[in-house]
Amino acid sequence: DGGITQSPKYLFRKEGQNVTLSCEQNLNHDAMYWYRQDPGQGLRLIYYSQIVNDFQKGDIAEGYSVSREKKESFPLTVTSAQKNPTAFYLCASTPTGGFYEQYFGPGTRLTVT
Amino acid sequence: SQQGEEDPQTLSIQEGENATMNCSYKTSINNLQWYRQNSGRGLVHLILIRSNEREKHSGRLRVTLDTSKKSSSLLITASRAADTASYFCATDMGSSNTGKLIFGQGTTLQVKP
């Protein structure tokens, strides 16, 4: 099946620890995106990548880092510098940047205590 | 930054009734998209309407776009209990070709059987 996978579905970490969220797609899409969603809110863009080995900050990049070493993978690291990391994280992809629908993964719910 | 503002925030109707959700945005766009999210899940794309289109249909869904008023509406006809979900509008950045979307805060729809 083609699609986007995110793992794990639920993640628990202690404050002060870095944590990496996985996002993999087999749709052969060039562009990938990471969003954060807080309860009752819309999605806010953290980082995006339009091509391998290149990525750009979104609206709320502080405290996060990404890499794009392979076309199919776009992992997100939530660092200890992120002040309020508990949230629902969603990964998405499109065939190329611009004017296309985004395909979303199932999300990872991160809880930091 | 939130470009899309949705109205109402919550909507509760009986099965069989129509549901209308509205979205307003601030700057020029190339397209506007509607997505659906079931609780705790990823988003699913419903409809993309381009700035030169005024109306689009998909099954029981009808989307209108009024660029002069910077607004869009999503109509779900003959609603079913399975339509219970949150619905988000998302706009692209207009002049940018990055594929970045700005999401509204969403309308939570409850369809009572």
Side-chain angles (χ1 to χ4, degrees):
Chain A
D1 285 336
I4 301 181
T5 57
Q6 291 185 245
S7 61
K9 188 173 176 65
Y10 299 96
L11 193 52
F12 298 89
R13 280 294 182 270
K14 294 290 187 185
E15 201 171 313
Q17 293 179 335
N18 291 355
V19 60
T20 298
L21 282 58
S22 167
C23 177
E24 304 276 333
Q25 54 98 0
N26 61 5
L27 300 167
N28 200 32
H29 285 173
D30 289 311
M32 298 185 74
Y33 309 82
W34 272 107
Y35 295 93
R36 170 186 172 131
Q37 186 179 31
D38 292 285
Q41 301 294 314
L43 279 62
R44 292 184 290 168
L45 183 65
I46 304 173
Y47 268 98
Y48 66 101
S49 168
Q50 293 185 276
I51 197 169
V52 173
N53 292 323
D54 185 60
F55 48 83
Q56 306 295 327
K57 292 182 179 180
D59 298 322
I60 56 166
E62 186 175 349
Y64 299 97
S65 66
V66 293
S67 63
R68 186 85 187 277
E69 296 176 2
K70 298 186 295 182
K71 187 175 185 177
E72 59 269 23
S73 178
F74 191 40
L76 173 74
T77 296
V78 184
T79 75
S80 57
Q82 168 50 230
K83 293 186 173 60
N84 186 17
T86 295
F88 189 49
Y89 291 89
L90 288 156
C91 179
S93 70
T94 62
T96 185
F99 318 142
Y100 292 95
E101 65 186 82
Q102 293 192 2
Y103 294 75
F104 280 83
T108 292
R109 187 166 299 280
L110 172 65
T111 302
V112 177
T113 57
Chain B
S1 59
Q2 297 281 349
Q3 156 130 281
E5 297 292 332
E6 296 182 62
D7 170 61
Q9 288 191 348
T10 60
L11 181 59
S12 183
I13 59 175
Q14 294 294 135
E15 209 164 21
E17 293 181 339
N18 294 343
T20 299
M21 291 159 255
N22 303 296
C23 170
S24 60
Y25 58 92
K26 297 173 184 172
T27 63
S28 65
I29 60 171
N30 291 296
N31 69 66
L32 184 145
Q33 304 181 34
W34 284 90
Y35 289 82
R36 166 192 167 128
Q37 183 182 35
N38 287 79
S39 182
R41 308 289 292 272
L43 275 69
V44 174
H45 181 262
L46 297 176
I47 287 186
L48 181 154
I49 185 165
R50 304 195 187 282
S51 59
N52 61 353
E53 297 175 312
R54 291 296 167 257
E55 188 170 310
K56 210 160 182 182
H57 297 253
S58 177
R60 293 183 296 113
L61 306 181
R62 173 180 167 246
V63 167
T64 61
L65 178 65
D66 186 335
T67 53
S68 67
K69 295 181 180 178
K70 291 186 170 59
S71 68
S72 174
S73 67
L74 169 67
L75 168 67
I76 303 174
T77 59
S79 64
R80 305 166 181 167
D83 294 328
T84 295
S86 292
Y87 293 82
F88 296 91
C89 69
T91 55
D92 71 353
M93 296 296 288
S95 59
S96 168
N97 192 31
T98 62
K100 288 171 59 177
L101 294 178
I102 300 177
F103 285 81
Q105 293 187 317
T107 292
T108 299
L109 172 66
Q110 182 185 29
V111 181
K112 300 175 185 175

